[in-house]
Amino acid sequence: MFSPFSNLHSSYYDAYDPYQAQRALQYRRALARQHALEAERARRAQMYQGSPYLPDEPDDLVDEEDWAFRDALQRRQAYEQRMEEKRIREEHARLELLAKEEEQRREKLKQEQRSRQAQNRHYRPSHSPPRSRSPHEIHIPTNSPPTTSVSERSPLLPAEQAQPRYTLEEQHEAASKLQKAWRAHIALSNLRKLEKEFDDLRKSFKLPTVVDFQDPNQGIISVTVPDDLPDNTADDVPKLAYNQTNYSLHSYVEALNRFLIRLDGVESRGDANVRNSRRCIVGRVEKEANSIEMFGKKVWATHSVNTVPDGQSSSDSDS
């Protein structure tokens, strides 16, 4: 390992080495980053060891099973992917605009070349010497009308009067429409991917058979989910306990919240199709989250019906 103090000079008047100072600064920065990383790992390991509401996990897998860290990493990757797609779209638009300008320039050069060729043919002087007429030749006039050349009948316009096919405003408008259509296509593609992921998650999720509630007076109350849940719901429902029994429920609700955040990250940019598609998918995700909340209320309602209040006998309850 490189040490910043291995090549120090004993004299204060030695020549200053900028490369050595730069290497020492890099070494100190790397050492500080390593210390910060080790402190963060120790803090996370201590947090997981002291939490009674999460399932037991090995210490060496704490960092790998940290869902908050993975969620932040996925958001970072999604943001970088959006930035890369945006850069690619802008580069495509710029190349299309340059191609159009190059095509117009070539068309203009062709028109100018054709105009100069036509003018050269019309005004080209004759270099052949005049043919001497024999003294015995007699010119006999005919009744045929005089012929005129093509250049005399329809002279071409000069190159300065040739107009381009499209104006600069029309080119910018066309490029803007192409860019808007491409952005809408990318947004719809991302929405379709998110909808497929949501459908796969909803199909793979299974409702638990036992639900634990955190009652402030009685502590944790475990309620077995019946086969047929009632239609009515309870009003005063305690919170779900954060333990291993309710791990699947909390994970599913957290996944639905992450889907809503990812859907908010898809920008419509004024496109109606993108906005309507995103609104439809957001409605489906929110409906699924509400169904999980109603499931908890119905389970607690069955517990309230089956529980006999204190001071009341079983015969009174049967009557």
Side-chain angles (χ1 to χ4, degrees):
M1 181 181 295
F2 170 75
S3 174
F5 306 103
S6 60
N7 295 327
L8 291 179
H9 297 282
S10 59
S11 175
Y12 291 98
Y13 300 99
D14 292 336
Y16 173 73
D17 188 3
Y19 298 101
Q20 180 179 359
Q22 184 178 4
R23 290 193 297 269
L25 181 60
Q26 292 177 355
Y27 172 78
R28 288 195 296 271
R29 288 179 179 176
L31 187 61
R33 285 196 297 267
Q34 184 177 0
H35 289 172
L37 183 59
E38 292 177 356
E40 180 65 19
R41 289 178 177 174
R43 185 186 65 80
R44 290 184 180 179
Q46 184 179 4
M47 179 183 64
Y48 274 94
Q49 292 175 0
S51 178
Y53 300 112
L54 292 178
D56 296 333
E57 297 177 353
D59 294 338
D60 56 345
L61 298 179
V62 169
D63 291 338
E64 297 180 359
E65 298 297 332
D66 189 358
W67 61 265
F69 176 78
R70 287 187 281 107
D71 184 55
L73 181 60
Q74 291 177 358
R75 293 185 186 179
R76 175 78 177 183
Q77 292 176 352
Y79 174 78
E80 292 177 353
Q81 183 179 2
R82 290 198 301 271
M83 293 296 102
E84 182 66 18
E85 291 174 353
K86 180 180 178 181
R87 185 188 65 80
I88 292 175
R89 291 195 299 269
E90 292 176 352
E91 184 68 18
H92 286 178
R94 186 181 67 84
L95 293 177
E96 289 176 357
L97 183 59
L98 291 177
K100 288 183 178 179
E101 292 177 354
E102 181 66 20
E103 183 180 359
Q104 292 176 0
R105 186 183 67 82
R106 292 180 179 179
E107 187 66 24
K108 185 176 180 180
L109 291 177
K110 289 180 180 179
Q111 291 179 0
E112 293 177 356
Q113 186 177 5
R114 286 195 296 266
S115 177
R116 286 196 297 268
Q117 291 177 358
Q119 291 178 0
N120 293 335
R121 286 196 303 267
H122 182 63
Y123 297 107
R124 182 181 298 171
S126 178
H127 297 285
S128 59
R131 185 173 60 90
S132 60
R133 180 178 298 179
S134 175
H136 301 285
E137 287 182 351
I138 299 174
H139 176 69
I140 301 176
T142 60
N143 295 327
S144 61
T147 59
T148 58
S149 63
V150 178
S151 60
E152 292 177 355
R153 288 198 304 267
S154 57
L156 296 176
L157 293 175
E160 290 76 14
Q161 297 181 6
Q163 297 295 332
R165 186 182 302 177
Y166 301 104
T167 61
L168 186 60
E169 290 78 7
E170 293 175 346
Q171 296 175 12
H172 285 299
E173 184 179 359
S176 177
K177 289 181 179 179
L178 288 174
Q179 189 175 14
K180 184 177 180 181
W182 176 254
R183 288 176 177 175
H185 170 71
I186 294 297
L188 291 174
S189 178
N190 293 334
L191 288 176
R192 285 193 294 268
K193 292 179 182 178
L194 290 175
E195 186 176 12
K196 185 179 182 304
E197 292 180 9
F198 168 68
D199 292 336
D200 296 340
L201 177 66
R202 187 168 57 86
K203 292 178 182 178
S204 62
F205 175 70
K206 302 295 182 182
L207 292 173
T209 58
V210 178
V211 180
D212 291 350
F213 294 91
Q214 183 72 35
D215 189 84
N217 298 325
Q218 302 179 9
I220 296 179
I221 301 176
S222 298
V223 180
T224 302
V225 180
D227 295 336
D228 297 331
L229 289 175
D231 296 334
N232 59 337
T233 58
D235 295 333
D236 190 8
V237 180
K239 296 182 179 180
L240 296 176
Y242 285 89
N243 55 9
Q244 190 171 2
T245 305
N246 297 338
Y247 183 76
S248 60
L249 276 177
H250 288 299
S251 299
Y252 187 58
V253 173
E254 182 65 24
L256 294 178
N257 293 331
R258 287 200 296 267
F259 268 112
L260 292 176
I261 293 175
R262 294 173 63 184
L263 288 171
D264 291 339
V266 179
E267 300 180 359
S268 62
R269 299 182 184 274
D271 191 271
N273 295 331
V274 177
R275 186 168 52 250
N276 295 334
S277 300
R278 185 180 61 186
R279 185 183 296 115
C280 179
I281 302 174
V282 168
R284 291 184 58 193
V285 176
E286 291 178 347
K287 183 179 179 180
E288 184 68 15
N290 292 334
S291 68
I292 298 300
E293 184 178 359
M294 295 300 296
F295 169 76
K297 292 182 179 180
K298 291 179 180 179
V299 172
W300 183 255
T302 59
H303 171 71
S304 300
V305 171
N306 297 330
T307 303
V308 179
D310 296 338
Q312 183 178 0
S313 62
S314 59
S315 60
D316 296 338
S317 62
D318 295 339
S319 62

